[in-house]
Amino acid sequence: MTDPVIVIHGGAWAIPERLVDVNISGVEDAARKGWGVLGKSGSALDAVVAAVKALEDNPVFDAGIGSVLTEDGTVEMDAMIMDGSSLGAGAVAGLHDIRHPVDLARIVMERTPHVLMIGDGARRLAEKYKVEKLTQKQLVTEEARRELAEWLEKKRAGTAFGHETVGAVALDAKGNLAAATSTGGMTGKLVGRVGDVPIVGSGGYADNKLGGASSTGHGEAIMKVNLARLVLTHVEAGALIQEATDRALAYMMERVAGTGGVIALDPKGNVGHSYTTPHMVWATARNGKIESGI
Ligand code: ASP
């Protein structure tokens, strides 16, 4: 038996003062939802899904409702999930009308022989398994519109901008690890742009032998260094989990001038979290106790 734990992030970026409280209460609520599963001997997979769904429903975060907008003002969401016991993985990209993209990623993992699905195939799968839908109107928030207007004005392409991605990594009592990440991507992205989140090893990774990780930040940079797997590569080479998250982000900065954040757990439940942005909002739940920071 291991002591279960879940760690959550709600994005790494320059979180304005006016949004600090809602960010913290949002990740704490997600940690509580994840703990609600783990504390009753539930699985790490169910815990990360419960936590990420809470964040997808919270308009404060860039996932599900509240997703940031493409330069055309539309929503295109990506998500991934990974099961550390089997290295099973599922991911979806470019979704327009799904309330909980993480649910569809899990369906890809558990009900298809594939890992990543997009477009018409993802839409058909959502229909087949009756995944809950929302219209673009229901997904788009005033804040997302405001951010796009500001972005269009400043044309600040290429840097982490606006509110961001969510993710969770959990370890259950059986020693199984799982990771899940969900996002609307980056404000002002081109239509059809897919970021790091659905790329296994970039947006998230879980392997019972090494640990689990979930990333946030500049997707184009994260993909180039496979950030989540890079954390675990450092663990494999003997680093402690906090050293591993620090080193992976330092490498991303050094090699591709990319900023972001990552949360991680090792197989014993030790937590690592690092970021190279001004803030990253995070929370953990262990023994029913919630801790958070920004
Ligand atoms: N990594 C996400 C992406 O590039 C964005 C984020 O974390 O904010 O799509």
Side-chain angles (χ1 to χ4, degrees), residues 207-283:
D207 180 346
N208 282 4
K209 292 191 171 186
L210 299 173
S214 171
S215 312
T216 171
H218 187 209
E220 281 68 11
I222 293 171
M223 282 188 271
K224 288 172 190 166
V225 301
N226 290 151
L227 184 63
R229 186 60 174 81
L230 182 58
V231 169
L232 303 183
T233 300
H234 287 306
V235 172
E236 215 167 1
L240 298 176
I241 195 76
Q242 184 61 46
E243 290 167 357
T245 55
D246 289 347
R247 277 188 211 164
L249 279 172
Y251 189 77
M252 185 165 95
M253 176 69 93
E254 179 199 322
R255 295 292 290 127
V256 292
T259 57
V262 66
I263 54 168
L265 285 177
D266 73 12
K268 291 194 175 131
N270 295 305
V271 176
H273 47 71
S274 308
Y275 48 97
T276 47
T277 45
H279 310 106
M280 178 175 75
V281 62
W282 59 269

Side-chain angles (χ1 to χ4, degrees), residues 62 163-165 183 185-186 193 195-197 216-220 222:
D62 172 19
H163 63 295
E164 301 216 10
T165 299
T183 190
M186 296 182 69
R193 176 266 193 187
D196 58 294
V197 168
T216 171
H218 187 209
E220 281 68 11
I222 293 171

Side-chain angles (χ1 to χ4, degrees), residues 25 40 43 46 75 94 118 140 160 167 185 188 193-194 201 222 231 256 258 269 277:
S25 59
K40 291 187 196 116
S43 70
D46 287 341
V75 167
I118 61 161
V140 175
R193 176 266 193 187
V194 174
I222 293 171
V231 169
V256 292
T277 45

Side-chain angles (χ1 to χ4, degrees), residues 10 88 95 99 133 151 167 179 199 225 258 270 286:
L95 304 179
R99 178 172 173 189
K133 290 194 167 181
W151 182 89
I199 308 302
V225 301
N270 295 305
R286 193 194 298 269

Side-chain angles (χ1 to χ4, degrees), residues 5 66 106 139 167 171 223 238 262 286 294:
V5 54
R106 187 171 186 173
L139 289 165
L171 173 70
M223 282 188 271
V262 66
R286 193 194 298 269
I294 197 158

